[in-house]
Amino acid sequence: MFFFQIGSIVLALHDASDVFLEAAKVFKYSEKELGASVCFGFFDISWLLLRLIFFPFWIIISSRFRG
């Protein structure tokens, strides 16, 4: 059960930033550069926060010390 919980959190963290990437693609394909740039900026910030800060320092450390 523990690995299912950790896997669900990892999936949620990794998929949260993908929403902004897909929105940026939609704006880019519809030739709305400002919307694409804003959404890509949100994607960039969320990717950095979720995958490079929250994942290693929150998920990996909390699952490592669980006995």
Side-chain angles (χ1 to χ4, degrees), residues 8-62:
S8 298
I9 292 172
V10 169
L11 180 68
L13 279 177
H14 284 187
D15 282 350
S17 59
D18 290 344
V19 173
F20 297 118
L21 181 62
E22 297 300 324
K25 287 181 183 180
V26 167
F27 280 120
K28 183 70 174 174
Y29 295 151
S30 64
E31 298 177 357
K32 296 183 178 170
E33 295 295 325
L34 180 62
S37 296
V38 168
C39 286
F40 188 76
F42 285 146
F43 165 73
D44 189 32
I45 291 168
S46 68
W47 192 88
L48 287 171
L49 287 175
L50 294 175
R51 294 191 187 194
L52 297 179
I53 295 174
F54 284 125
F55 180 67
F57 294 111
W58 183 44
I59 301 300
I60 294 177
I61 289 176
S62 67

